[in-house]
Amino acid sequence: DGNFCSSSQTKQVNVHALPIVSIAGLDANYCVNDDAITILGSPTPDVNTNGFFTGNGLTDNGDGSALFSPNTLVAGNIYTITYTFQDTNTCVDTYAQDVNIIDLPAPPVANDVAVCFGETVPDLTATGEPGFQLVWYNSAGDSVYSGNTYPTGITAVGVYDFSVTQIHTVTTCESDHTPVSLTIKELPTVALPAFDDVCIYDFIIYL
């Protein structure tokens, strides 16, 4: 001060490190029809801490986990998913991850097939985009063959329903199903009426 006297006061301050925050179970890419998944934030909150998710397509569970639903989002967009955590020292940090929502490829083109019983049954064929994998399904929805041409091996009379999709080999996004039917038609029943023997010079007989 003006009398050349001085005084000081010392106070100790603790500087806490921020919590290390991360997200588990969240991929960078999802197809627009993918089902909901559970993602986890770290650290997991307890009664003395707080952790929560924010972002589109999310339902926060209040326990450090959330339900992420890609099938509620718009294809072609990138969304940011964020996990925020506050520790016991009230220090807060966040972790953010971008997620790309990918559109489905167009369904492949395929034609129905119909033949008569006893004829050679052709393979079912479909045309997709270059570099895509075509997958065939039976009427129960089971995958039965992979490839542009499907040899069914069916020869019995009946109508058989199938479908075919195409899958992007990089993103693994699968198109909607294109229905395809195979019909093997029963032959008509043919019968000739009974007729008497004739001589070589008799009149013409119409059958």
Side-chain angles (χ1 to χ4, degrees):
D1 60 15
N3 298 315
F4 303 101
C5 297
S6 64
S7 181
S8 65
Q9 183 180 16
T10 301
K11 186 174 183 180
Q12 187 175 11
V13 177
N14 292 324
V15 179
H16 301 285
L18 293 177
I20 299 174
V21 182
S22 63
I23 297 175
L26 184 65
D27 294 333
N29 299 295
Y30 288 92
C31 304
V32 70
N33 64 342
D34 281 344
D35 293 330
I37 61 167
T38 298
I39 58 177
L40 302 174
S42 178
T44 302
D46 55 27
V47 293
N48 299 312
T49 59
N50 187 29
F52 58 90
F53 280 93
T54 54
N56 296 95
L58 281 175
T59 301
D60 185 71
N61 297 324
D63 59 357
S65 69
L67 195 66
F68 176 58
S69 303
N71 53 14
T72 65
L73 302 176
V74 178
N77 289 345
I78 296 177
Y79 298 89
T80 300
I81 306 302
T82 302
Y83 181 65
T84 301
F85 183 80
Q86 177 180 289
D87 64 15
T88 54
N89 299 310
T90 68
C91 295
V92 177
D93 202 3
T94 62
Y95 180 87
Q97 181 176 329
D98 288 340
V99 174
N100 182 31
I101 304 299
I102 304 170
D103 202 358
L104 303 182
V109 177
N111 295 320
D112 297 335
V113 172
V115 295
C116 294
F117 177 72
E119 295 179 347
T120 299
V121 179
D123 298 338
L124 300 181
T125 60
T127 303
E129 299 178 44
F132 283 61
Q133 177 188 7
L134 270 67
V135 179
W136 296 86
Y137 296 84
N138 60 21
S139 59
D142 300 320
S143 172
V144 291
Y145 194 78
S146 177
N148 292 53
T149 302
Y150 172 34
T152 64
I154 298 173
T155 58
V157 170
V159 177
Y160 304 90
D161 293 322
F162 300 91
S163 65
V164 59
T165 66
Q166 63 176 340
I167 299 176
H168 194 292
T169 53
V170 176
T171 66
T172 69
C173 292
E174 185 174 15
S175 74
D176 292 331
H177 289 243
T178 297
V180 185
S181 69
L182 168 62
T183 302
I184 301 178
K185 296 178 285 186
E186 188 174 6
L187 298 178
T189 301
V190 178
L192 289 175
F195 53 90
D196 297 330
D197 294 339
V198 297
C199 296
I200 190 170
Y201 296 112
D202 288 345
F203 293 105
I204 297 173
I205 298 175
Y206 293 96
L207 302 178

